[in-house]
Amino acid sequence: MQNAIDRLKFAVQTLPGVLAQYSETESERRPAPERWTKKEVIGHLIDSASNNHQRFVRGQLAAGQDFPRYEQEGWVRVQNYQGAKWANLIDLWRAYNTHLLHVAENMSAEGRCATCRVGGAAEVTLEWLFTDYVDHLEHHLRKVLGAWG
């Protein structure tokens, strides 16, 4: 899990400065009709942080829970990330992930081994879930910074 923590620390330290280089207009550009804008991707990553925050905390309080699946398209649409200020989204992403680092760094060995299910899928440990969270985050960041950079 330490590797995932280190990777998230790096993202939290470097990403806000990189994202801030994009203008409001660039952050709103849709790469294709069915694809999310940079604003919507960062909004999706905020939602991912929010959903996983609940899992990381609740999963330590009572192992074996079955958390609901996250309906990403609906969440992004309902919150209208496209209409949000780019700088505010960057700040919220940074703050939320800074807190998730704090949660992860303070997760006990017992907490890391606690299990849960997400959307009825196979049982996983919170350690696995945290690593998967960071993998998912990096997947989207590679797209935002690579394909749209």
Side-chain angles (χ1 to χ4, degrees):
M1 187 158 145
Q2 188 59 49
N3 179 266
I5 289 171
D6 292 343
R7 289 166 34 219
L8 184 56
K9 274 184 189 174
F10 178 79
V12 167
Q13 291 167 353
T14 60
L15 186 68
V18 172
L19 291 176
Q21 294 175 16
Y22 293 104
S23 70
E24 195 78 22
T25 300
E26 289 170 317
S27 73
E28 295 172 344
R29 189 174 306 126
R30 193 167 303 284
E34 71 287 350
R35 301 270 311 274
W36 284 340
T37 65
K38 285 179 176 55
K39 282 185 172 184
E40 291 167 330
V41 171
I42 297 305
H44 165 65
L45 293 176
I46 292 166
D47 293 342
S48 179
S50 170
N51 277 272
N52 280 291
H53 176 223
Q54 293 289 310
R55 296 167 185 158
F56 300 148
V57 174
R58 292 177 189 272
Q60 290 182 81
L61 295 174
Q65 294 190 53
D66 190 356
F67 296 107
R69 201 169 161 271
Y70 153 60
E71 297 179 29
Q72 62 186 24
E73 295 292 336
W75 279 57
V76 168
R77 178 181 42 78
V78 166
Q79 295 179 83
N80 186 26
Y81 286 118
Q82 188 70 353
K85 294 287 184 200
W86 182 230
N88 293 346
L89 292 175
I90 295 168
D91 288 345
L92 180 55
W93 179 89
R94 183 202 47 76
Y96 219 135
N97 281 281
T98 298
H99 183 64
L100 287 184
L101 280 168
H102 175 76
V103 171
E105 290 172 330
N106 286 280
M107 196 179 292
S108 67
E110 181 182 352
R112 291 176 183 200
C113 293
T115 60
C116 66
R117 297 181 198 286
V118 177
E123 194 170 69
V124 297
T125 65
L126 293 182
E127 180 172 6
W128 183 92
L129 195 61
F130 182 79
T131 300
D132 184 65
Y133 167 75
V134 176
D135 290 345
H136 171 256
L137 176 116
E138 290 175 337
H139 162 79
H140 282 291
L141 294 179
R142 278 191 297 275
K143 286 187 173 186
V144 166
L145 300 176
W148 302 342

